[in-house]
Amino acid sequence: MTTVDPAPPPPMRLRELVFGAACAAAVRAAVRLGVADALDDTPMTVDDLATAVKTQPHTLRRLLRALSCQGVFAENPDGTFEHTEMSRLLREDDPHSLRYIALWCTEPWTWNVWPRLDEAVRSGRGVFEDVYGQEFFTHLNESAPESAHVFNRAMTTSSEQSARDVALLLDLDDASSVADIGGGQGHVLASLLEKHPHLHGTLLDLPGVVENADPRLRRDGSLAGRVDIVARDCREGVPVRADVYIIKNVLEWDDDSTRRVLAGVRAAARPGARVVVIENLVDDTPSMRFTTAMDLLLLLNVGGAKHTRQSMVDRLTDAGLVIDGISPVNAYLHAFECTVPG
């Protein structure tokens, strides 16, 4: 039976950290093999699991042992394995599934850029283009379609799971229109429109993104009559006038892109309009281990950064917005409520 040491001494903890790639690779392997999907509510032997996922029993046991000591799956005294709260999140059908997030964070390109983190820290810029000869999103969409698919599924998962929290947080009773800038497939916007039947919405994002918008927002969808879809790079201007602008997980590119997005919203918005910026923070949150890791990955792939509370305040203030309040959306997101001055 696999046991977990809850508090390893510093030398062992450091050894665990430098072998972190093994843990990430083990999670990825379990997802790609479909282990979590094959294991249901009844504990299974390794032989039965191996038959179900078409692997060798002895190597599958090694994988499960490595994951069980991390709390992903659990080994019973009789040698069978069962689900834990974490391993269930790797199932395709779990309502809170992190399957595609796990795949996205371990995509093949990540293994090639992580070893060059020292170069990125030294230069202050991303290394992705040096490695692949293309800008990050260009490479994904033109040269790595499978990785682009995983990215889109991961972003959809993240948006769907946070959309309800955003809708619960925001009071839009006094607004008549809301625009989701860089809003992806529009899950946040759809949740807001469902909660507030009087609202009209606008979704703005790249053409290849909005063509796959949430079915509720597309032609013949339940919300189609209350939505405009604008295919545009939000860094190139925001031709939308609304009472409330939502900018969620967009202001984490390079500083120039962040300035351009905020300038576009500032130019389009009428005095008194609300601007709600929603971001992960790398300080004072329960999710710092995750967000600081994502911060470094953003540096590597696009030269971007997750924000501290103060860095976000500085950028919003520099854009000419008045910050009215900052509040948590959930354990890993914060909302900066702003007003466009007269």
Side-chain angles (χ1 to χ4, degrees), residues 30-263:
V31 172
R32 288 173 62 86
L33 291 169
V35 178
D37 296 299
L39 182 59
D40 207 340
D41 294 330
T42 303
M44 292 178 67
T45 66
V46 172
D47 286 345
D48 287 343
L49 265 176
T51 298
V53 300
K54 298 180 174 60
T55 66
Q56 295 298 316
H58 64 285
T59 46
L60 180 59
R61 180 181 291 280
R62 293 165 65 181
L63 177 67
L64 288 169
R65 184 183 297 125
L67 289 167
S68 294
C69 69
Q70 301 287 348
V72 183
F73 303 107
E75 185 178 4
N76 297 313
D78 63 359
T80 60
F81 285 86
E82 65 181 6
H83 271 300
T84 62
E85 289 186 23
M86 276 199 289
S87 65
R88 288 187 184 278
L89 296 174
L90 300 179
R91 288 181 61 92
E92 181 95 43
D93 61 0
D94 190 274
H96 305 289
S97 177
L98 295 179
R99 175 189 181 91
Y100 285 96
I101 299 293
L103 288 174
W104 167 241
C105 293
T106 56
E107 276 297 278
W109 65 265
T110 64
W111 307 105
N112 292 328
V113 297
W114 276 123
R116 302 182 66 167
L117 182 58
D118 58 322
E119 296 177 30
V121 171
R122 186 177 292 113
S123 67
R125 65 178 186 85
V127 302
F128 189 93
E129 194 164 349
D130 295 338
V131 175
Y132 287 98
Q134 290 178 299
E135 180 266 344
F136 178 71
F137 286 107
T138 301
H139 176 79
L140 246 62
N141 290 302
E142 294 183 0
S143 305
E146 183 178 345
S147 193
H149 170 73
V150 169
F151 173 75
N152 290 332
R153 290 294 300 267
M155 295 305 101
T156 297
T157 295
S158 181
S159 293
E160 287 175 343
Q161 293 175 355
S162 62
R164 293 182 293 272
D165 295 329
V166 173
L168 286 172
L169 175 73
L170 296 182
D171 181 0
L172 301 183
D173 289 342
D174 294 334
S176 62
S177 57
V178 59
D180 196 353
I181 307 303
Q185 296 175 338
H187 302 294
V188 169
L189 181 62
S191 292
L192 291 170
L193 294 179
E194 286 187 335
K195 181 183 177 183
H196 300 281
H198 67 284
L199 279 180
H200 183 276
T202 301
L203 174 65
L204 184 149
D205 211 315
L206 296 170
V209 176
V210 297
E211 70 181 13
N212 294 309
D214 188 305
R216 291 171 291 178
L217 305 177
R218 283 183 260 160
R219 180 179 297 178
D220 298 327
S222 60
L223 302 171
R226 296 163 53 204
V227 178
D228 292 322
I229 295 180
V230 179
R232 187 182 180 95
D233 185 337
C234 60
R235 294 172 292 184
E236 304 302 326
V238 179
V240 179
R241 178 155 285 201
D243 296 328
V244 180
Y245 295 83
I246 310 292
I247 311 173
K248 178 179 174 290
N249 288 134
V250 171
L251 305 182
E252 52 191 30
W253 298 322
D254 58 278
D255 283 347
D256 180 61
S257 294
T258 293
R259 282 191 291 269
R260 288 159 62 190
V261 174
L262 289 174

Side-chain angles (χ1 to χ4, degrees), residues 14-27:
L14 184 56
R15 285 179 170 87
E16 292 173 355
L17 287 175
V18 297
F19 262 111
C23 183
V27 173

Side-chain angles (χ1 to χ4, degrees), residues 276-317:
V276 182
V277 174
I278 300 171
E279 289 288 340
N280 307 106
L281 298 179
V282 292
D283 58 347
D284 298 328
T285 76
S287 60
M288 279 186 63
R289 289 183 181 178
F290 171 72
T291 52
T292 53
M294 283 299 300
D295 176 56
L296 295 178
L297 191 58
L298 278 168
L299 168 62
L300 288 166
N301 62 14
V302 294
K306 293 289 185 182
H307 288 282
T308 64
R309 184 181 298 254
Q310 189 58 51
S311 71
M312 193 74 260
V313 166
D314 291 343
R315 282 156 180 76
L316 296 174
T317 302

